[in-house]
Amino acid sequence: MNTQILEINEQSLALSKQIIVGGGVVAIPTETVYGLGANAFDTQAVDSIFKIKGRPNDNPLIVHVHSDYDISMLVSEIPEYAKLLAKAFLPGPLTMVYKSKGVVSSSVSCGLDTLAIRIPSHEGAQKFLKYVGLPIAAPSANISKHVSPTSAQHVFDDFNGKIQLILDGGRCKGGIESTVLDCTGKVPVVLRSGLITRDMIAQVVGECREYVYKDGALAISPGMKYKHYSPNCRTILFSYDRLEQAVQTYRQECQNGVKVFLLCDDSVAKLAGCENVLNLGADENQIAANLYARLREGERVAELIIAIAPQKTDGVMVGVMNRLCKACAN
Ligand code: AMP
Ligand code: MG
């Protein structure tokens, strides 16, 4: 199969609709990462997403809809706090999990009685969702466990020959996946951290909890238990306060002839003074936006990536650290 990367215009939107209605998958840009989308009503199409990605079949997908879409067609029990949050943050990088009405394919939620819904703010994503006029089930458009894609080229690198169309909406500005928020209880619970932080949510609705997955426990957000986001090279992660050891390890590995690169933010790069650096940028939004691109760059040039955690660990950095820890897990 020939994989096309096309700018978003009338012609490519028409082609994307033809593919989606025909039961195929299309890669689409969002403000977080690129997604691999299929018609959420079509079980075969949804199942093919799992096959193409090699995604475990107990890790549910998020349904993406246009900002005009009436989500009460898909889910029941929308609590008052969810309406407030929708007003404050949507369209945007916040996915909300509700009780499902069971009208989309049961493959989307892997048999769970809940449904995760997201309204992306990316202009190209909105155009696509309006044009196809269907709820689109879409996980990140990467081979399962590999680094998530933040450009059309990243998607191409993983799926060349395996999918027909990548809609090119430029580089994703957000850079890490949406915050996933359980809205089925009295109080919202963050299942996956992202750019909409727990504090931002609590500011709107008063209280917000955070779910911590413990190994072996039954996961309410099944995606959290998997290794993820990993580059195809060796990685080591050091906390910020172990910067000195990280630099020592870098020097030692260099002496051993290993192609080693530091992955760190701009301030750490200056302190470390190492030659080979994958620089994540200066502030937390840059760090989130650059994380996956630098990891993908790293796997091309390095045999070993030594990552150093940013000094700040709250806010958006909760989401960044979650990705970094999984990317560097063994
Ligand atoms: P990805 O599509 O790769 O961004 O992953 C989607 C994330 O949303 C995973 O962490 C899933 O576990 C989570 N998710 C999707 N649907 C649900 C659901 N119904 N309940 C809880 N978590 C969900
Ligand atoms: Mg993913």
Side-chain angles (χ1 to χ4, degrees):
M1 187 187 289
N2 182 26
T3 302
Q4 293 188 81
I5 302 179
L6 298 177
E7 303 255 304
I8 300 172
N9 55 34
E10 188 60 31
Q11 245 180 342
S12 62
L13 287 170
L15 176 59
S16 70
K17 182 170 183 174
Q18 193 189 324
I19 296 170
I20 292 289
V21 171
V25 302
V26 173
I28 56 165
T30 79
E31 69 278 20
T32 58
V33 302
Y34 275 70
L36 194 60
N39 177 1
F41 293 122
D42 182 338
T43 297
Q44 260 187 12
V46 173
D47 287 347
S48 74
I49 292 178
F50 286 87
K51 281 196 205 100
I52 293 170
K53 273 181 66 85
R55 184 176 176 103
N57 61 9
D58 65 348
N59 188 4
L61 309 182
I62 295 168
V63 165
H64 295 65
V65 294
H66 184 263
S67 52
D68 291 340
Y69 195 89
D70 177 7
I71 66 160
S72 69
M73 302 213 289
L74 305 180
V75 297
S76 54
E77 298 173 37
I78 301 175
E80 279 311 311
Y81 68 76
K83 290 177 189 158
L84 290 174
L85 292 172
K87 213 174 201 171
F89 300 118
L90 300 186
L94 176 65
T95 296
M96 300 207 265
V97 177
Y98 302 99
K99 284 276 173 234
S100 178
K101 277 192 169 163
V103 294
V104 299
S105 163
S106 63
S107 291
V108 172
S109 294
C110 304
L112 296 174
D113 62 359
T114 52
L115 187 65
I117 299 199
R118 169 154 144 67
I119 302 174
S121 61
H122 189 286
E123 201 190 331
Q126 281 290 318
K127 278 187 185 160
F128 164 78
L129 291 165
K130 191 173 184 111
Y131 203 100
V132 297
L134 286 164
I136 296 293
S140 51
N142 53 287
I143 301 272
S144 190
K145 300 190 179 67
H146 192 214
V147 184
S148 299
T150 53
S151 71
Q153 183 63 44
H154 292 162
V155 182
F156 187 84
D157 291 343
D158 277 18
F159 293 123
N160 181 19
K162 301 210 173 72
I163 62 174
Q164 201 181 327
L165 175 61
I166 301 166
L167 289 177
D168 189 350
R171 277 195 51 190
C172 303
K173 295 206 170 70
I176 58 171
E177 294 83 349
S178 60
T179 304
V180 178
L181 190 69
D182 182 356
C183 297
T184 61
K186 283 207 167 60
V187 173
V189 183
V190 173
L191 302 177
R192 177 176 73 187
S193 306
L195 296 174
I196 308 290
T197 64
R198 179 186 174 176
D199 280 354
M200 289 160 74
I201 293 166
Q203 261 175 28
V204 175
V205 296
E207 198 183 347
C208 177
R209 299 208 189 105
E210 191 136 17
Y211 174 73
V212 182
Y213 172 71
K214 293 195 185 66
D215 268 352
L218 191 69
I220 19 175
S221 192
M224 299 309 287
K225 70 185 179 193
Y226 291 109
K227 178 180 160 81
H228 250 113
Y229 321 118
S230 305
N232 298 321
C233 64
R234 274 199 306 136
T235 50
I236 313 176
L237 173 62
F238 285 90
S239 58
Y240 179 82
D241 56 9
R242 295 184 65 219
L243 172 61
E244 221 170 282
Q245 287 97 317
V247 174
Q248 263 172 22
T249 308
Y250 171 95
R251 302 249 174 259
Q252 189 63 55
E253 294 283 350
C254 282
Q255 267 176 18
N256 295 343
V258 176
K259 270 191 242 157
V260 50
F261 277 70
L262 278 194
L263 175 81
C264 58
D265 68 30
D266 203 48
S267 62
V268 173
K270 285 185 181 123
L271 287 174
C274 296
E275 203 166 284
N276 297 337
V277 175
L278 300 158
N279 194 326
L280 292 168
D283 64 52
E284 58 178 19
N285 289 324
Q286 282 178 21
I287 294 170
N290 290 327
L291 179 66
Y292 291 139
R294 291 294 110 79
L295 282 169
R296 279 184 179 251
E297 209 177 302
E299 70 183 2
R300 282 203 309 274
V301 293
E303 290 163 335
L304 170 65
I305 295 175
I306 297 179
I308 304 168
Q311 186 172 22
K312 196 171 174 298
T313 51
D314 59 350
V316 171
M317 288 303 114
V318 176
V320 168
M321 278 311 294
N322 165 282
R323 292 358 181 244
L324 203 49
C325 289
K326 289 192 177 190
C328 300
N330 296 309

